[in-house]
Amino acid sequence: MFLPRMITKDLYYVGVNDRKTRFFENYIPINDGVSYNSYLLMADKTCLFDTVEICFLKEFLANVQAVLNGRELDYLVIHHMEPDHCASIEEIVLRYPNVKIVANLQVFRMIEQFFGEDYKDRAHVIRENDILDLGNHHLKFISAIMVHWPEVMMSYDLDTKVLFSADAFGCFGALPGNIFKDEVDDPSFFSEARRYYSNIVGKYGVNVVNVYKKISTLDIKYICPLHSYIWRQDFDQIMSKYVKWATYQAEEKAVVIAYASMYGNTKQAAEVLASMLAEKGIKNIKVYDLSLTDETYIISEIFRASTLILASPTYNLGMYPKVESLLNAMVKLNVKNRVVGLIENGTWSPKSNSMVKEKLASLENITYLEPQISIKSSITEQNIEDLAHMATLVSELL
Ligand code: FEO
């Protein structure tokens, strides 16, 4: 049983909701699930766009079958080969033996790697700017290398101005019945979209900018991503965020304090600083314990805020594991253009500030607040003065 979800008069949503998986890519928490979007265009030639994660095959096939309503499936377009979208290709071919697979050469290579099949008998190989003629619809293909894998392509329906954007403009969260972004007032959407973007695609800002340049010239009426809502208005809301995220510009002038603390002394420094900032009239200060808040949320906050304060104990003369992991993620994701304030603690040899700076040395345009603060076991009067000075510097920047 499936209730067809119409997008345009001949384009349907046939995706599924995953409300069971707790970790996207088996490490990113997704407490509200995720949708695997697939679309079926009932043109003169029928065309399915991508598939879904294999656990949801039965539901997906029911959706496709209901919309086809007895018609043949002529084409399957594969934009992206990550298995949350490609895993059901074999099953589609089994059920629709005349279907042609439309994709670039890299996709076909990956199909062979995943499934041991080259599908030469049904391959319709396309390159960027090629056009697939579906009769009353024509699809133009746009290369989207590294957004989020190297084979990724988008496609654009020249007749109805629909952009199939692959992973771009997606978000975590299962769809609540509503499939259009303008149907929901979801206060967590953009923070979750940022967490999705920053942790998954964040490394590839240059590639995202390149693709943005191509699609920003298109007349777009709908954006159909592979996860989350379909956009049919207010495109600038999400596009403007992507421009900021992809160019590593802070979304807001804001401060985030991330601390790690074994026995509460480093935490106390973070709390004192937060209070001093509040006393200076700074609003919306965010404070996170790195041992309690999943790193993917902190990364998202670093993409949002202009200033990061990192307070960290020295651990066995090295970095505290949670801090080291966050720094590794920042380096991996090429974070740039941030102000960073450092607070270290250590009982016999506090040295985490210098280790943090060394770790982040490859990142561009990171400005450190001076002086960095060094605590020996617990905060002193001098530390309080230094924290007050740091609070003044931060408040002058916001
Ligand atoms: Fe949603 Fe990169 O796969």
Side-chain angles (χ1 to χ4, degrees):
M1 178 67 188
F2 171 66
L3 182 66
R5 307 304 307 279
M6 189 180 273
I7 301 167
T8 66
K9 75 176 172 56
D10 45 14
L11 180 64
Y12 293 82
Y13 178 83
V14 290
V16 297
N17 277 323
D18 179 352
R19 300 182 191 276
K20 281 185 175 174
T21 299
R22 293 277 68 98
F23 296 98
F24 189 77
E25 295 181 346
N26 212 16
Y27 85 100
I28 301 174
I30 45 169
N31 299 331
D32 296 321
V34 66
S35 69
Y36 308 118
N37 296 353
S38 172
Y39 304 94
L40 181 50
L41 182 61
M42 298 296 283
D44 291 340
K45 296 282 186 183
T46 59
C47 182
L48 181 64
F49 297 88
D50 299 289
T51 70
V52 302
E53 215 275 343
I54 196 71
C55 298
F56 301 87
L57 176 68
K58 193 173 172 192
E59 200 177 331
F60 174 55
L61 289 174
N63 296 352
V64 171
Q65 192 179 9
V67 175
L68 282 173
N69 195 23
R71 285 184 64 185
E72 270 290 313
L73 181 61
D74 296 306
Y75 292 104
L76 169 61
V77 170
I78 300 296
H79 293 113
H80 181 20
M81 278 299 292
E82 194 165 7
D84 50 338
H85 310 295
C86 81
S88 303
I89 292 175
E90 280 182 304
E91 298 295 331
I92 288 292
V93 170
L94 277 173
R95 282 153 177 88
Y96 301 99
N98 297 321
V99 70
K100 289 198 166 42
I101 298 177
V102 182
N104 63 35
L105 273 176
Q106 240 179 330
V107 165
F108 282 106
R109 258 181 242 127
M110 290 183 182
I111 286 178
E112 189 159 10
Q113 286 169 210
F114 274 112
F115 307 119
E117 287 274 1
D118 59 19
Y119 289 128
K120 277 205 171 70
D121 57 327
R122 62 185 67 250
H124 182 108
V125 179
I126 45 97
R127 294 191 188 87
E128 180 159 48
N129 293 324
D130 280 358
I131 291 181
L132 179 68
D133 185 350
L134 299 174
N136 56 343
H137 288 258
H138 300 80
L139 297 176
K140 186 172 182 177
F141 295 93
I142 302 160
S143 175
I145 293 170
M146 300 317 299
V147 187
H148 136 237
W149 279 16
E151 84 294 2
V152 174
M153 293 198 94
M154 298 181 179
S155 58
Y156 175 67
D157 187 327
L158 294 164
D159 303 275
T160 49
K161 319 294 185 201
V162 178
L163 177 68
F164 298 93
S165 64
D167 272 344
F169 312 120
C171 186
F172 300 130
L175 293 173
N178 302 109
I179 59 172
F180 297 106
K181 175 65 180 67
D182 55 273
E183 292 177 328
V184 295
D185 184 12
D186 178 354
S188 67
F189 176 83
F190 285 108
S191 61
E192 278 298 85
R194 189 192 325 105
R195 192 167 69 92
Y196 166 92
Y197 173 88
S198 56
N199 287 282
I200 293 172
V201 193
K203 180 177 182 176
Y204 306 112
V206 172
N207 305 82
V208 174
V209 169
N210 287 340
V211 175
Y212 178 77
K213 283 180 192 158
K214 292 190 247 187
I215 63 175
S216 60
T217 63
L218 299 175
D219 177 15
I220 295 174
K221 301 277 190 246
Y222 296 83
I223 297 176
C224 294
L226 284 175
H227 300 285
S228 193
Y229 301 108
I230 297 157
W231 290 78
R232 56 184 176 183
Q233 61 188 53
D234 305 322
F235 302 117
D236 189 54
Q237 284 184 5
I238 188 74
M239 294 264 192
S240 60
K241 302 271 189 203
Y242 263 65
V243 169
K244 284 205 164 170
W245 300 337
T247 54
Y248 305 94
Q249 302 303 313
E251 200 179 311
E252 295 171 11
K253 282 196 165 189
V255 59
V256 168
I257 302 173
Y259 72 84
S261 189
M262 287 183 281
Y263 299 105
N265 290 299
T266 315
K267 170 181 183 289
Q268 190 182 21
E271 300 282 13
V272 167
L273 179 65
S275 297
M276 287 172 167
L277 289 166
E279 289 289 324
K280 288 181 178 298
I282 307 298
K283 294 186 168 61
N284 298 316
I285 303 157
K286 293 292 175 72
V287 181
Y288 297 97
D289 182 334
L290 287 171
S291 297
L292 296 178
T293 303
D294 185 83
E295 182 180 290
T296 60
Y297 290 89
I298 312 285
I299 285 293
S300 176
E301 284 288 77
I302 291 171
F303 270 69
R304 177 184 65 84
S306 53
T307 300
L308 169 68
I309 307 295
L310 194 56
S312 170
T314 307
Y315 191 70
N316 286 335
L317 296 175
M319 277 187 208
Y320 192 72
K322 294 287 185 179
V323 173
E324 187 164 20
S325 177
L326 178 70
L327 298 174
N328 286 340
M330 288 174 68
V331 171
K332 185 183 72 181
L333 296 169
N334 286 330
V335 171
K336 299 179 175 72
N337 308 322
R338 293 297 184 275
V339 173
V340 177
L342 296 179
I343 302 169
E344 67 183 3
N345 195 355
T347 293
W348 72 93
S349 181
K351 56 190 287 192
S352 53
N353 285 350
S354 59
M355 289 187 290
V356 170
K357 288 181 77 171
E358 196 179 322
K359 195 86 177 170
L360 299 184
S362 64
L363 301 184
E364 292 172 22
N365 198 22
I366 302 294
T367 306
Y368 291 96
L369 297 174
E370 300 291 349
Q372 287 126 46
I373 297 172
S374 188
I375 300 166
K376 275 203 156 182
S377 303
S378 64
I379 52 179
T380 61
E381 288 301 319
Q382 180 61 51
N383 292 145
I384 296 287
E385 275 182 36
D386 292 343
L387 287 165
H389 180 66
M390 186 176 273
T392 300
L393 293 179
V394 172
S395 67
E396 287 169 356
L397 292 169
L398 302 185

